[in-house]
């Protein structure tokens, strides 16, 4: 472990050198396997600072939407197009976990995973460890996640979602690069609440595109009923 002063200085340097990500857009293909069964689908992911997020869940073939999650400010809307139901709430963490199937996932984590750039840290709550082969490990005590970072950069090579006591890994992922600044793929292992494995291919990643307000302004269709 680094001494406190070294850890703080390293963390502040990571924040200072982190590229600004004001918005992001990505298309990803995902396959999840559990108990011998697998399912594949696509995600369209759009984010915009300070808090906007939209994720469309699509089948592998066709352009129709299976589900839609939109956050704008503190409000979050979840549409289930199969059941024609909707949920409006401010419980962002619970809805993100339910929609993506990953316990502890956050908007900031999604941006870091898709872009390959570590989130901006609260250095008073983050401990930096010096790992092997020049890898730094940033442990975020508030967000309950650890990041493997290449060298002294903020480039993410792996992440570990921890339980509240930080003694159990609930999910972990590894990012792979093929010459691009952002990852080309990710492997994922889920341990809680059930065991599953996944692979995600990032087909298109655009950082800092111009995104219209309309992307995050969704009206609930008239024939949808509120989820109870």
């Amino acid at each position: 472990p680094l001494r406190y002063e070294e850890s703080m200085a390293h963390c502040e340097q990571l924040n200072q050198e982190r590229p600004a990500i004001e918005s992001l857009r990505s298309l990803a293909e995902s396959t999840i396997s559990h108990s011998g069964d697998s399912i594949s689908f696509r995600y369209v992911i759009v984010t915009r600072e300070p808090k906007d997020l939209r994720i469309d869940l699509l089948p592998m073939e066709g352009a129709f939407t299976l589900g839609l999650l939109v956050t704008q400010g503190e409000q979050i809307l979840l549409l289930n197009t199969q059941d024609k139901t909707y949920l409006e709430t401010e419980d962002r963490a619970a809805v993100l976990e339910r929609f993506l199937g990953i316990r502890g996932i956050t908007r900031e984590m999604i941006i870091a995973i898709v872009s390959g750039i570590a989130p901006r840290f609260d250095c008073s709550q983050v401990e930096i460890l010096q790992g092997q082969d020049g890898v730094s490990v940033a442990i975020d005590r508030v967000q309950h996640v650890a990041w493997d970072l290449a060298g002294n950069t903020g480039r993410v090579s792996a992440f570990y979602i921890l339980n509240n006591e930080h003694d159990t890994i609930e999910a972990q992922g590894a990012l792979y690069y093929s010459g691009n600044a952002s990852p080309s793929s990710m492997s994922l292992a889920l341990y809680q609440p059930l065991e599953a494995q996944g692979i995600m291919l990032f087909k298109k990643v655009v950082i800092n595109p111009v995104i219209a307000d309309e992307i995050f302004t969704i009206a609930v269709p008239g024939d949808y009923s509120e989820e109870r």
Side-chain angles (χ1 to χ4, degrees):
L2 299 177
R3 291 185 294 109
Y4 175 80
E5 294 81 4
E6 295 174 326
S7 176
M8 180 70 74
H10 192 162
C11 178
E12 291 175 348
Q13 181 181 1
L14 288 172
N15 282 344
Q16 183 177 0
E17 297 181 358
R18 179 184 184 270
I21 302 179
E22 298 299 329
S23 60
L24 179 147
R25 182 174 64 243
S26 177
L27 171 65
E29 296 179 355
S30 177
T31 298
I32 299 294
S33 301
H34 168 66
S35 299
D37 296 324
S38 63
I39 184 171
S40 298
F41 40 81
R42 295 177 295 160
Y43 290 117
V44 177
I45 303 167
V46 183
T47 73
R48 187 181 63 178
E49 293 303 311
K51 295 183 178 181
D52 297 342
L53 169 68
R54 172 172 172 160
I55 304 177
D56 292 72
L57 179 64
L58 310 173
M60 292 300 290
E61 300 292 338
F64 59 92
T65 300
L66 299 172
L68 173 64
L69 178 148
V70 180
T71 72
Q72 189 172 38
E74 299 302 327
Q75 195 67 22
I76 185 166
L77 171 66
L78 180 63
L79 295 182
N80 184 329
T81 61
Q82 306 302 294
D83 298 336
K84 291 190 174 182
T85 58
Y86 72 94
L87 175 65
E88 288 184 297
T89 179
E90 293 185 358
D91 192 349
R92 182 188 299 257
V95 174
L96 268 176
E97 176 182 324
R98 170 182 162 182
F99 189 74
L100 297 175
I102 304 174
R103 179 180 291 179
I105 193 72
T106 65
R107 174 184 177 275
E108 290 70 28
M109 286 188 63
I110 293 170
I111 295 172
I113 291 168
V114 175
S115 69
I117 299 171
R120 189 170 299 279
F121 296 123
D122 177 353
C123 293
S124 66
Q125 302 294 332
V126 171
E127 181 181 6
I128 307 291
L129 309 178
Q130 196 66 52
Q132 297 179 346
D133 301 324
V135 174
S136 299
V137 182
I139 304 175
D140 191 323
R141 303 293 183 183
V142 174
Q143 299 298 325
H144 309 298
V145 59
W147 301 94
D148 282 355
L149 307 176
N152 292 322
T153 73
R155 177 163 160 162
V156 177
S157 58
F159 63 91
Y160 310 85
I161 300 177
L162 311 173
N163 66 351
N164 289 343
E165 290 73 32
H166 293 176
D167 58 9
T168 301
I169 296 174
E170 298 192 337
Q172 67 183 76
L175 302 182
Y176 305 95
Y177 299 79
S178 58
N180 299 322
S182 56
S184 57
S185 63
M186 175 187 74
S187 62
L188 178 68
L190 304 177
Y191 307 115
Q192 298 290 342
L194 54 82
E195 291 192 9
Q197 298 77 41
I199 185 75
M200 181 171 285
L201 304 178
F202 300 108
K203 310 299 288 187
K204 297 178 182 177
V205 178
V206 182
I207 294 178
N208 294 330
V210 176
I211 299 175
D213 293 342
E214 290 76 12
I215 294 294
F216 305 103
T217 305
I218 303 297
V220 176
D223 58 344
Y224 278 47
S225 58
E226 186 173 5
E227 186 176 305
R228 301 297 180 183

